[in-house]
DNA sequence: GCTTGACTTAGACATTGTCTATTGTAAGAT
DNA sequence: ATCTTACAATAGACAATGTCTAAGTCAAGC
């Protein structure tokens, strides 16, 4: 399974039961869990894992560049393990469902110098919003 | 000043001292305040205004479509009064400064049907990230 | 199998946002 | 001008999310 665990081990990350569980919970495509969701799933496998550890571990994974923070919804941050392949997000305004998407084109090229205000621009984040098929039919 | 107040009045919005102050605080270009910042600036002009009123008023302005919520930073929501002219945001990763920007091109057109997962896509939000001139020089 | 420094824990604390019951008031009616 | 009344504002409790600390625990190297 998870290349994630492999990569982390290779980077000298000290492996503990808690960290393994967090990494396992985050495995997969179209995974965008909040910290609390990660925690409750982790508790299923390792009942004594604490909230602080989940937050710490998520923060480390983000620093290591193995997981992305996304702020699609205005409430909790979500964590996206699909960090090695650049992508953007499509969010359902009704139910909050999130899909990873890969638009064509480069939005960076669409920002003229005159609109950069002297900034060095390094990254773009695109969030598409709409209604998912499920919510549309009800 | 503010067409905002004009428009609100025209829409039958009951005008109170508190609402006027909130609307005034939000007036201008490149304004992206958090609810708490709005509150503290409102307090300067109207010391007895309560936090709840600021939150309520901001929520109403958003519902009315006169103000946009933006989630550029992962902490508090920010409120952008520039709702009548579509635009995106450029954020400094160091200091959090925000500018309104107007990229060319249409990101909606860049999302192929095969990447829409059956969603009806209605809106796009683009956030550019980088370093502002101020932070770059220090 | 020790030792040690890094990891984990519980829970207090901080920040941001929401809700409720009560009091106040803008704006139309008289 | 004053009255009435529905809507708005208030204080403060509560909720959700995230951060920090002091003390205990353990993975990994020796």
């Amino acid at each position: 399974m998870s290349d994630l665990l492999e990569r982390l081990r290779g980077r000298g990350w000290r492996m503990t039961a808690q960290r393994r569980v967090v990494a396992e919970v985050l495995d997969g495509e179209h995974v965008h869990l909040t910290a609390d969701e990660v925690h409750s799933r982790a508790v299923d496998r390792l009942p004594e894992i604490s909230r602080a550890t989940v937050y710490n571990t998520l923060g480390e994974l983000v620093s290591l560049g193995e997981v992305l923070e996304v702020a699609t919804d205005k409430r909790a941050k979500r964590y996206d393990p699909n960090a090695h392949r650049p992508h953007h997000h499509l969010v359902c305004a009704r139910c909050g469902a999130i899909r990873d998407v890969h638009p064509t084109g480069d939005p960076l090229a669409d920002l003229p110098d005159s609109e950069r205000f002297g900034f060095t621009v390094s990254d773009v984040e695109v969030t598409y919003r709409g209604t998912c098929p499920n919510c549309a039919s009800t």
Side-chain angles (χ1 to χ4, degrees), chain A residues 6 10 18 33-35 40 45-46 48 56 67 72 75 78 83-84 91 95 97 117 119 138:
Chain A
E6 277 314 303
Q18 291 84 351
L33 300 170
T34 65
S40 74
R45 308 193 192 192
L46 188 66
E48 67 276 24
N56 288 342
V67 166
T72 54
R75 299 168 58 77
R78 292 179 174 275
H84 50 300
V91 182
C95 71
F117 299 96
F119 280 54
T138 60

Side-chain angles (χ1 to χ4, degrees), chain A residues 26 28-33 68 70 72 78-92 97-103 126-128:
Chain A
L26 282 175
E29 287 276 320
H30 299 294
V31 170
H32 308 88
L33 300 170
L68 295 176
V70 295
T72 54
R78 292 179 174 275
Y79 293 89
D80 183 340
N82 196 6
H84 50 300
R85 191 140 34 107
H87 63 279
H88 298 290
H89 292 109
L90 169 56
V91 182
C92 176
I98 306 176
R99 314 293 316 218
D100 291 354
V101 294
H102 303 83
V126 182
T127 305
Y128 294 90

